[in-house]
PDB file of all heavy atoms in Angstrom:
ATOM      1  N   ARG A   3      15.479 -18.196 -43.053  1.00  0.00           N
ATOM      2  CA  ARG A   3      15.979 -16.825 -43.437  1.00  0.00           C
ATOM      3  C   ARG A   3      16.561 -16.068 -42.290  1.00  0.00           C
ATOM      4  O   ARG A   3      17.511 -15.374 -42.523  1.00  0.00           O
ATOM      5  CB  ARG A   3      14.756 -16.073 -44.071  1.00  0.00           C
ATOM      6  CG  ARG A   3      14.440 -16.535 -45.551  1.00  0.00           C
ATOM      7  CD  ARG A   3      13.466 -15.539 -46.099  1.00  0.00           C
ATOM      8  NE  ARG A   3      12.209 -15.841 -45.443  1.00  0.00           N
ATOM      9  CZ  ARG A   3      11.099 -15.019 -45.370  1.00  0.00           C
ATOM     10  NH1 ARG A   3      11.256 -13.710 -45.815  1.00  0.00           N
ATOM     11  NH2 ARG A   3      10.062 -15.440 -44.777  1.00  0.00           N
ATOM     12  N   ARG A   4      16.022 -16.305 -41.168  1.00  0.00           N
ATOM     13  CA  ARG A   4      16.654 -15.590 -39.999  1.00  0.00           C
ATOM     14  C   ARG A   4      17.922 -16.275 -39.466  1.00  0.00           C
ATOM     15  O   ARG A   4      18.815 -15.655 -38.892  1.00  0.00           O
ATOM     16  CB  ARG A   4      15.527 -15.683 -38.796  1.00  0.00           C
ATOM     17  CG  ARG A   4      14.407 -14.740 -39.058  1.00  0.00           C
ATOM     18  CD  ARG A   4      13.294 -14.810 -38.019  1.00  0.00           C
ATOM     19  NE  ARG A   4      13.721 -14.558 -36.704  1.00  0.00           N
ATOM     20  CZ  ARG A   4      13.139 -14.947 -35.658  1.00  0.00           C
ATOM     21  NH1 ARG A   4      11.994 -15.598 -35.736  1.00  0.00           N
ATOM     22  NH2 ARG A   4      13.536 -14.749 -34.378  1.00  0.00           N
ATOM     23  N   LEU A   5      18.066 -17.642 -39.725  1.00  0.00           N
ATOM     24  CA  LEU A   5      19.243 -18.245 -39.392  1.00  0.00           C
ATOM     25  C   LEU A   5      20.388 -18.048 -40.259  1.00  0.00           C
ATOM     26  O   LEU A   5      21.658 -18.047 -39.935  1.00  0.00           O
ATOM     27  CB  LEU A   5      19.064 -19.737 -39.224  1.00  0.00           C
ATOM     28  CG  LEU A   5      18.179 -20.242 -37.998  1.00  0.00           C
ATOM     29  CD1 LEU A   5      18.002 -21.664 -37.995  1.00  0.00           C
ATOM     30  CD2 LEU A   5      18.911 -19.760 -36.621  1.00  0.00           C
ATOM     31  N   ASP A   6      20.192 -17.850 -41.612  1.00  0.00           N
ATOM     32  CA  ASP A   6      21.273 -17.690 -42.596  1.00  0.00           C
ATOM     33  C   ASP A   6      22.224 -16.577 -42.303  1.00  0.00           C
ATOM     34  O   ASP A   6      23.455 -16.849 -42.299  1.00  0.00           O
ATOM     35  CB  ASP A   6      20.624 -17.487 -43.992  1.00  0.00           C
ATOM     36  CG  ASP A   6      20.017 -18.793 -44.562  1.00  0.00           C
ATOM     37  OD1 ASP A   6      20.443 -19.937 -44.041  1.00  0.00           O
ATOM     38  OD2 ASP A   6      19.198 -18.616 -45.512  1.00  0.00           O
ATOM     39  N   PRO A   7      21.684 -15.294 -41.931  1.00  0.00           N
ATOM     40  CA  PRO A   7      22.787 -14.304 -41.572  1.00  0.00           C
ATOM     41  C   PRO A   7      23.632 -14.613 -40.360  1.00  0.00           C
ATOM     42  O   PRO A   7      24.719 -14.382 -40.353  1.00  0.00           O
ATOM     43  CB  PRO A   7      21.869 -13.070 -41.386  1.00  0.00           C
ATOM     44  CG  PRO A   7      20.536 -13.348 -42.028  1.00  0.00           C
ATOM     45  CD  PRO A   7      20.417 -14.774 -41.966  1.00  0.00           C
ATOM     46  N   LEU A   8      22.854 -15.278 -39.381  1.00  0.00           N
ATOM     47  CA  LEU A   8      23.550 -15.678 -38.180  1.00  0.00           C
ATOM     48  C   LEU A   8      24.704 -16.727 -38.473  1.00  0.00           C
ATOM     49  O   LEU A   8      25.787 -16.602 -37.983  1.00  0.00           O
ATOM     50  CB  LEU A   8      22.534 -16.132 -37.114  1.00  0.00           C
ATOM     51  CG  LEU A   8      23.162 -16.555 -35.871  1.00  0.00           C
ATOM     52  CD1 LEU A   8      23.804 -15.386 -35.121  1.00  0.00           C
ATOM     53  CD2 LEU A   8      22.000 -17.114 -34.926  1.00  0.00           C
ATOM     54  N   GLN A   9      24.310 -17.739 -39.335  1.00  0.00           N
ATOM     55  CA  GLN A   9      25.257 -18.753 -39.693  1.00  0.00           C
ATOM     56  C   GLN A   9      26.444 -18.047 -40.395  1.00  0.00           C
ATOM     57  O   GLN A   9      27.590 -18.544 -40.240  1.00  0.00           O
ATOM     58  CB  GLN A   9      24.623 -19.880 -40.440  1.00  0.00           C
ATOM     59  CG  GLN A   9      23.710 -20.757 -39.661  1.00  0.00           C
ATOM     60  CD  GLN A   9      22.853 -21.651 -40.473  1.00  0.00           C
ATOM     61  OE1 GLN A   9      22.713 -21.489 -41.594  1.00  0.00           O
ATOM     62  NE2 GLN A   9      22.416 -22.754 -39.811  1.00  0.00           N
ATOM     63  N   GLY A  10      26.195 -17.222 -41.269  1.00  0.00           N
ATOM     64  CA  GLY A  10      27.255 -16.584 -42.073  1.00  0.00           C
ATOM     65  C   GLY A  10      28.219 -15.744 -41.143  1.00  0.00           C
ATOM     66  O   GLY A  10      29.451 -15.831 -41.326  1.00  0.00           O
ATOM     67  N   ARG A  11      27.666 -14.973 -40.149  1.00  0.00           N
ATOM     68  CA  ARG A  11      28.435 -14.349 -39.210  1.00  0.00           C
ATOM     69  C   ARG A  11      29.340 -15.312 -38.368  1.00  0.00           C
ATOM     70  O   ARG A  11      30.514 -15.001 -38.037  1.00  0.00           O
ATOM     71  CB  ARG A  11      27.605 -13.417 -38.363  1.00  0.00           C
ATOM     72  CG  ARG A  11      27.060 -12.239 -39.200  1.00  0.00           C
ATOM     73  CD  ARG A  11      26.196 -11.428 -38.406  1.00  0.00           C
ATOM     74  NE  ARG A  11      26.816 -10.693 -37.310  1.00  0.00           N
ATOM     75  CZ  ARG A  11      26.183 -10.125 -36.398  1.00  0.00           C
ATOM     76  NH1 ARG A  11      25.003 -10.169 -36.285  1.00  0.00           N
ATOM     77  NH2 ARG A  11      26.897  -9.495 -35.481  1.00  0.00           N
ATOM     78  N   CYS A  12      28.717 -16.437 -37.985  1.00  0.00           N
ATOM     79  CA  CYS A  12      29.480 -17.403 -37.199  1.00  0.00           C
ATOM     80  C   CYS A  12      30.679 -17.959 -38.035  1.00  0.00           C
ATOM     81  O   CYS A  12      31.864 -18.038 -37.499  1.00  0.00           O
ATOM     82  CB  CYS A  12      28.608 -18.611 -36.782  1.00  0.00           C
ATOM     83  SG  CYS A  12      27.520 -18.143 -35.491  1.00  0.00           S
ATOM     84  N   LYS A  13      30.456 -18.200 -39.269  1.00  0.00           N
ATOM     85  CA  LYS A  13      31.596 -18.666 -40.150  1.00  0.00           C
ATOM     86  C   LYS A  13      32.602 -17.659 -40.332  1.00  0.00           C
ATOM     87  O   LYS A  13      33.835 -18.019 -40.315  1.00  0.00           O
ATOM     88  CB  LYS A  13      30.933 -19.109 -41.413  1.00  0.00           C
ATOM     89  CG  LYS A  13      30.146 -20.395 -41.456  1.00  0.00           C
ATOM     90  CD  LYS A  13      29.660 -20.773 -42.802  1.00  0.00           C
ATOM     91  CE  LYS A  13      28.757 -21.998 -42.717  1.00  0.00           C
ATOM     92  NZ  LYS A  13      28.122 -22.382 -43.904  1.00  0.00           N
ATOM     93  N   GLU A  14      32.184 -16.342 -40.435  1.00  0.00           N
ATOM     94  CA  GLU A  14      33.216 -15.271 -40.568  1.00  0.00           C
ATOM     95  C   GLU A  14      34.047 -15.228 -39.220  1.00  0.00           C
ATOM     96  O   GLU A  14      35.345 -15.116 -39.379  1.00  0.00           O
ATOM     97  CB  GLU A  14      32.616 -13.952 -40.673  1.00  0.00           C
ATOM     98  CG  GLU A  14      31.969 -13.665 -42.047  1.00  0.00           C
ATOM     99  CD  GLU A  14      31.175 -12.408 -42.004  1.00  0.00           C
ATOM    100  OE1 GLU A  14      31.505 -11.484 -41.225  1.00  0.00           O
ATOM    101  OE2 GLU A  14      30.185 -12.221 -42.742  1.00  0.00           O
ATOM    102  N   HIS A  15      33.422 -15.274 -38.097  1.00  0.00           N
ATOM    103  CA  HIS A  15      34.193 -15.237 -36.736  1.00  0.00           C
ATOM    104  C   HIS A  15      35.071 -16.447 -36.656  1.00  0.00           C
ATOM    105  O   HIS A  15      36.300 -16.334 -36.247  1.00  0.00           O
ATOM    106  CB  HIS A  15      33.246 -15.153 -35.685  1.00  0.00           C
ATOM    107  CG  HIS A  15      32.666 -13.826 -35.407  1.00  0.00           C
ATOM    108  ND1 HIS A  15      33.439 -12.691 -34.838  1.00  0.00           N
ATOM    109  CD2 HIS A  15      31.496 -13.290 -35.805  1.00  0.00           C
ATOM    110  CE1 HIS A  15      32.652 -11.630 -34.934  1.00  0.00           C
ATOM    111  NE2 HIS A  15      31.485 -11.937 -35.342  1.00  0.00           N
ATOM    112  N   TRP A  16      34.572 -17.743 -37.116  1.00  0.00           N
ATOM    113  CA  TRP A  16      35.475 -18.851 -37.033  1.00  0.00           C
ATOM    114  C   TRP A  16      36.623 -18.675 -37.890  1.00  0.00           C
ATOM    115  O   TRP A  16      37.848 -19.098 -37.412  1.00  0.00           O
ATOM    116  CB  TRP A  16      34.517 -20.037 -37.429  1.00  0.00           C
ATOM    117  CG  TRP A  16      35.226 -21.382 -37.177  1.00  0.00           C
ATOM    118  CD1 TRP A  16      36.086 -22.041 -38.085  1.00  0.00           C
ATOM    119  CD2 TRP A  16      35.181 -22.111 -36.017  1.00  0.00           C
ATOM    120  NE1 TRP A  16      36.486 -23.201 -37.478  1.00  0.00           N
ATOM    121  CE2 TRP A  16      35.959 -23.271 -36.155  1.00  0.00           C
ATOM    122  CE3 TRP A  16      34.552 -21.974 -34.782  1.00  0.00           C
ATOM    123  CZ2 TRP A  16      36.215 -24.246 -35.260  1.00  0.00           C
ATOM    124  CZ3 TRP A  16      34.748 -22.955 -33.837  1.00  0.00           C
ATOM    125  CH2 TRP A  16      35.577 -24.010 -34.070  1.00  0.00           C
ATOM    126  N   ALA A  17      36.484 -18.185 -39.059  1.00  0.00           N
ATOM    127  CA  ALA A  17      37.613 -18.116 -40.033  1.00  0.00           C
ATOM    128  C   ALA A  17      38.647 -17.086 -39.463  1.00  0.00           C
ATOM    129  O   ALA A  17      39.845 -17.346 -39.623  1.00  0.00           O
ATOM    130  CB  ALA A  17      37.119 -17.587 -41.422  1.00  0.00           C
ATOM    131  N   ARG A  18      38.226 -16.032 -38.709  1.00  0.00           N
ATOM    132  CA  ARG A  18      39.215 -15.180 -38.141  1.00  0.00           C
ATOM    133  C   ARG A  18      40.010 -15.793 -37.055  1.00  0.00           C
ATOM    134  O   ARG A  18      41.036 -15.445 -36.730  1.00  0.00           O
ATOM    135  CB  ARG A  18      38.419 -13.864 -37.735  1.00  0.00           C
ATOM    136  CG  ARG A  18      38.263 -12.836 -38.773  1.00  0.00           C
ATOM    137  CD  ARG A  18      37.856 -11.511 -38.226  1.00  0.00           C
ATOM    138  NE  ARG A  18      36.383 -11.387 -38.542  1.00  0.00           N
ATOM    139  CZ  ARG A  18      35.516 -10.868 -37.679  1.00  0.00           C
ATOM    140  NH1 ARG A  18      35.913 -10.287 -36.557  1.00  0.00           N
ATOM    141  NH2 ARG A  18      34.288 -10.839 -38.034  1.00  0.00           N
ATOM    142  N   CYS A  19      39.333 -16.757 -36.264  1.00  0.00           N
ATOM    143  CA  CYS A  19      40.073 -17.443 -35.217  1.00  0.00           C
ATOM    144  C   CYS A  19      40.845 -18.558 -35.661  1.00  0.00           C
ATOM    145  O   CYS A  19      41.938 -18.836 -34.958  1.00  0.00           O
ATOM    146  CB  CYS A  19      38.993 -17.953 -34.363  1.00  0.00           C
ATOM    147  SG  CYS A  19      38.428 -16.799 -33.006  1.00  0.00           S
ATOM    148  N   ASP A  20      40.564 -19.143 -36.767  1.00  0.00           N
ATOM    149  CA  ASP A  20      41.268 -20.345 -37.150  1.00  0.00           C
ATOM    150  C   ASP A  20      42.574 -20.004 -37.890  1.00  0.00           C
ATOM    151  O   ASP A  20      42.605 -19.931 -39.183  1.00  0.00           O
ATOM    152  CB  ASP A  20      40.371 -21.237 -38.117  1.00  0.00           C
ATOM    153  CG  ASP A  20      40.978 -22.558 -38.540  1.00  0.00           C
ATOM    154  OD1 ASP A  20      41.995 -22.860 -37.985  1.00  0.00           O
ATOM    155  OD2 ASP A  20      40.383 -23.192 -39.424  1.00  0.00           O
ATOM    156  N   ASN A  21      43.586 -19.495 -37.144  1.00  0.00           N
ATOM    157  CA  ASN A  21      44.749 -19.075 -37.719  1.00  0.00           C
ATOM    158  C   ASN A  21      45.577 -20.164 -38.464  1.00  0.00           C
ATOM    159  O   ASN A  21      46.247 -19.904 -39.475  1.00  0.00           O
ATOM    160  CB  ASN A  21      45.714 -18.454 -36.695  1.00  0.00           C
ATOM    161  CG  ASN A  21      45.060 -17.234 -36.037  1.00  0.00           C
ATOM    162  OD1 ASN A  21      44.335 -16.491 -36.723  1.00  0.00           O
ATOM    163  ND2 ASN A  21      45.373 -16.972 -34.770  1.00  0.00           N
ATOM    164  N   SER A  22      45.474 -21.373 -37.953  1.00  0.00           N
ATOM    165  CA  SER A  22      46.110 -22.429 -38.682  1.00  0.00           C
ATOM    166  C   SER A  22      45.429 -23.099 -39.887  1.00  0.00           C
ATOM    167  O   SER A  22      45.968 -23.970 -40.528  1.00  0.00           O
ATOM    168  CB  SER A  22      46.353 -23.590 -37.695  1.00  0.00           C
ATOM    169  OG  SER A  22      45.092 -24.163 -37.197  1.00  0.00           O
ATOM    170  N   ARG A  23      44.204 -22.677 -40.083  1.00  0.00           N
ATOM    171  CA  ARG A  23      43.364 -23.018 -41.177  1.00  0.00           C
ATOM    172  C   ARG A  23      43.167 -24.575 -41.204  1.00  0.00           C
ATOM    173  O   ARG A  23      43.007 -25.166 -42.269  1.00  0.00           O
ATOM    174  CB  ARG A  23      43.936 -22.627 -42.624  1.00  0.00           C
ATOM    175  CG  ARG A  23      44.179 -21.102 -42.744  1.00  0.00           C
ATOM    176  CD  ARG A  23      42.887 -20.367 -42.898  1.00  0.00           C
ATOM    177  NE  ARG A  23      43.211 -18.950 -43.108  1.00  0.00           N
ATOM    178  CZ  ARG A  23      42.775 -18.018 -42.273  1.00  0.00           C
ATOM    179  NH1 ARG A  23      41.962 -18.343 -41.260  1.00  0.00           N
ATOM    180  NH2 ARG A  23      42.964 -16.771 -42.496  1.00  0.00           N
ATOM    181  N   THR A  24      42.966 -25.075 -40.018  1.00  0.00           N
ATOM    182  CA  THR A  24      42.800 -26.498 -39.934  1.00  0.00           C
ATOM    183  C   THR A  24      41.246 -26.915 -39.566  1.00  0.00           C
ATOM    184  O   THR A  24      40.990 -28.096 -39.601  1.00  0.00           O
ATOM    185  CB  THR A  24      43.638 -27.105 -38.753  1.00  0.00           C
ATOM    186  OG1 THR A  24      43.311 -26.446 -37.581  1.00  0.00           O
ATOM    187  CG2 THR A  24      45.163 -26.923 -39.064  1.00  0.00           C
ATOM    188  N   GLY A  25      40.519 -25.854 -39.360  1.00  0.00           N
ATOM    189  CA  GLY A  25      39.173 -26.087 -38.958  1.00  0.00           C
ATOM    190  C   GLY A  25      38.964 -26.233 -37.477  1.00  0.00           C
ATOM    191  O   GLY A  25      37.846 -26.413 -37.040  1.00  0.00           O
ATOM    192  N   ALA A  26      39.991 -26.062 -36.724  1.00  0.00           N
ATOM    193  CA  ALA A  26      39.969 -26.198 -35.243  1.00  0.00           C
ATOM    194  C   ALA A  26      40.609 -24.871 -34.703  1.00  0.00           C
ATOM    195  O   ALA A  26      41.433 -24.189 -35.327  1.00  0.00           O
ATOM    196  CB  ALA A  26      40.785 -27.340 -34.829  1.00  0.00           C
ATOM    197  N   ILE A  27      40.189 -24.581 -33.525  1.00  0.00           N
ATOM    198  CA  ILE A  27      40.550 -23.333 -32.899  1.00  0.00           C
ATOM    199  C   ILE A  27      41.298 -23.698 -31.568  1.00  0.00           C
ATOM    200  O   ILE A  27      40.700 -24.432 -30.774  1.00  0.00           O
ATOM    201  CB  ILE A  27      39.406 -22.313 -32.563  1.00  0.00           C
ATOM    202  CG1 ILE A  27      38.706 -21.874 -33.931  1.00  0.00           C
ATOM    203  CG2 ILE A  27      39.966 -21.126 -31.817  1.00  0.00           C
ATOM    204  CD1 ILE A  27      37.530 -21.068 -33.595  1.00  0.00           C
ATOM    205  N   ASP A  28      42.485 -23.233 -31.383  1.00  0.00           N
ATOM    206  CA  ASP A  28      43.135 -23.468 -30.119  1.00  0.00           C
ATOM    207  C   ASP A  28      42.790 -22.447 -29.130  1.00  0.00           C
ATOM    208  O   ASP A  28      42.123 -21.477 -29.401  1.00  0.00           O
ATOM    209  CB  ASP A  28      44.724 -23.508 -30.328  1.00  0.00           C
ATOM    210  CG  ASP A  28      45.380 -22.202 -30.726  1.00  0.00           C
ATOM    211  OD1 ASP A  28      44.537 -21.168 -30.906  1.00  0.00           O
ATOM    212  OD2 ASP A  28      46.598 -22.062 -30.711  1.00  0.00           O
ATOM    213  N   PHE A  29      43.073 -22.783 -27.889  1.00  0.00           N
ATOM    214  CA  PHE A  29      42.510 -21.971 -26.751  1.00  0.00           C
ATOM    215  C   PHE A  29      42.998 -20.597 -26.826  1.00  0.00           C
ATOM    216  O   PHE A  29      42.286 -19.545 -26.647  1.00  0.00           O
ATOM    217  CB  PHE A  29      42.927 -22.536 -25.379  1.00  0.00           C
ATOM    218  CG  PHE A  29      42.338 -21.878 -24.100  1.00  0.00           C
ATOM    219  CD1 PHE A  29      41.073 -21.927 -23.961  1.00  0.00           C
ATOM    220  CD2 PHE A  29      43.165 -21.269 -23.385  1.00  0.00           C
ATOM    221  CE1 PHE A  29      40.472 -21.208 -22.835  1.00  0.00           C
ATOM    222  CE2 PHE A  29      42.677 -20.530 -22.176  1.00  0.00           C
ATOM    223  CZ  PHE A  29      41.299 -20.628 -22.002  1.00  0.00           C
ATOM    224  N   VAL A  30      44.301 -20.312 -27.169  1.00  0.00           N
ATOM    225  CA  VAL A  30      44.872 -19.016 -27.288  1.00  0.00           C
ATOM    226  C   VAL A  30      44.123 -18.154 -28.332  1.00  0.00           C
ATOM    227  O   VAL A  30      43.880 -16.953 -28.125  1.00  0.00           O
ATOM    228  CB  VAL A  30      46.410 -19.032 -27.487  1.00  0.00           C
ATOM    229  CG1 VAL A  30      46.932 -17.686 -27.752  1.00  0.00           C
ATOM    230  CG2 VAL A  30      47.156 -19.658 -26.310  1.00  0.00           C
ATOM    231  N   SER A  31      43.866 -18.748 -29.509  1.00  0.00           N
ATOM    232  CA  SER A  31      43.169 -18.065 -30.564  1.00  0.00           C
ATOM    233  C   SER A  31      41.732 -17.752 -30.090  1.00  0.00           C
ATOM    234  O   SER A  31      41.275 -16.598 -30.415  1.00  0.00           O
ATOM    235  CB  SER A  31      43.082 -18.987 -31.808  1.00  0.00           C
ATOM    236  OG  SER A  31      44.370 -19.164 -32.285  1.00  0.00           O
ATOM    237  N   PHE A  32      41.079 -18.579 -29.380  1.00  0.00           N
ATOM    238  CA  PHE A  32      39.757 -18.346 -28.895  1.00  0.00           C
ATOM    239  C   PHE A  32      39.838 -17.142 -27.917  1.00  0.00           C
ATOM    240  O   PHE A  32      38.968 -16.182 -28.025  1.00  0.00           O
ATOM    241  CB  PHE A  32      39.191 -19.556 -28.185  1.00  0.00           C
ATOM    242  CG  PHE A  32      37.918 -19.155 -27.467  1.00  0.00           C
ATOM    243  CD1 PHE A  32      36.674 -19.061 -28.178  1.00  0.00           C
ATOM    244  CD2 PHE A  32      37.840 -19.064 -26.136  1.00  0.00           C
ATOM    245  CE1 PHE A  32      35.526 -18.700 -27.504  1.00  0.00           C
ATOM    246  CE2 PHE A  32      36.735 -18.786 -25.466  1.00  0.00           C
ATOM    247  CZ  PHE A  32      35.475 -18.507 -26.145  1.00  0.00           C
TER     248      PHE A  32
END
Side-chain angles (χ1 to χ4, degrees):
R3 281 186 287 154
R4 290 174 56 199
L5 288 177
D6 287 341
L8 182 61
Q9 288 173 339
R11 290 177 64 198
C12 287
K13 287 179 183 177
E14 287 174 28
H15 284 285
W16 188 270
R18 276 192 257 144
C19 272
D20 185 12
N21 295 333
S22 62
R23 305 284 183 243
T24 61
I27 299 174
D28 64 356
F29 187 66
V30 173
S31 297
F32 171 77

